[in-house]
Amino acid sequence: VGQGKGRQVAPEAERTIRELLVGQTPLRRDRLIEYLHAIQDAEGCLPNALLAALADALKLSQVEVFGKIAGTGAAAAMRNA
């Protein structure tokens, strides 16, 4: 039996993503940058747990989400949490 890859998504992080992005459903991949801004505005940073939950909600790989952040130069806003 295979194991999940990447960061595991914490239930509390899933809940936080739903709360932060309420009213923005259905979630759309093409709005990733907007969602990242909403998370950073609310949290003051981009916690890794929330990034993993966002990737899961958007059905994106975590590499795609983390890569988008690195591509924008916002990597300094990331935080292990």
Side-chain angles (χ1 to χ4, degrees):
V1 177
Q3 293 182 334
K5 295 183 179 183
R7 298 177 190 273
Q8 298 302 306
V9 178
E12 55 274 2
E14 290 177 329
R15 224 176 357 266
T16 300
I17 288 297
R18 282 194 305 272
E19 291 168 2
L20 286 175
L21 303 179
V22 69
Q24 299 191 46
T25 54
L27 296 179
R28 296 179 13 205
R29 293 175 175 200
D30 63 327
R31 297 187 68 195
L32 175 59
I33 295 292
E34 292 174 48
Y35 302 149
L36 292 170
H37 281 289
I39 293 168
Q40 187 168 5
D41 289 347
E43 299 291 320
C45 63
L46 296 168
N48 290 340
L50 295 185
L51 297 175
L54 179 61
D56 188 64
L58 292 173
K59 307 286 190 265
L60 292 170
S61 73
Q62 292 179 25
V63 169
E64 290 175 277
V65 173
F66 283 77
K68 183 63 76 174
I69 294 165
T72 64
M78 292 173 55
R79 182 184 80 208
N80 276 336

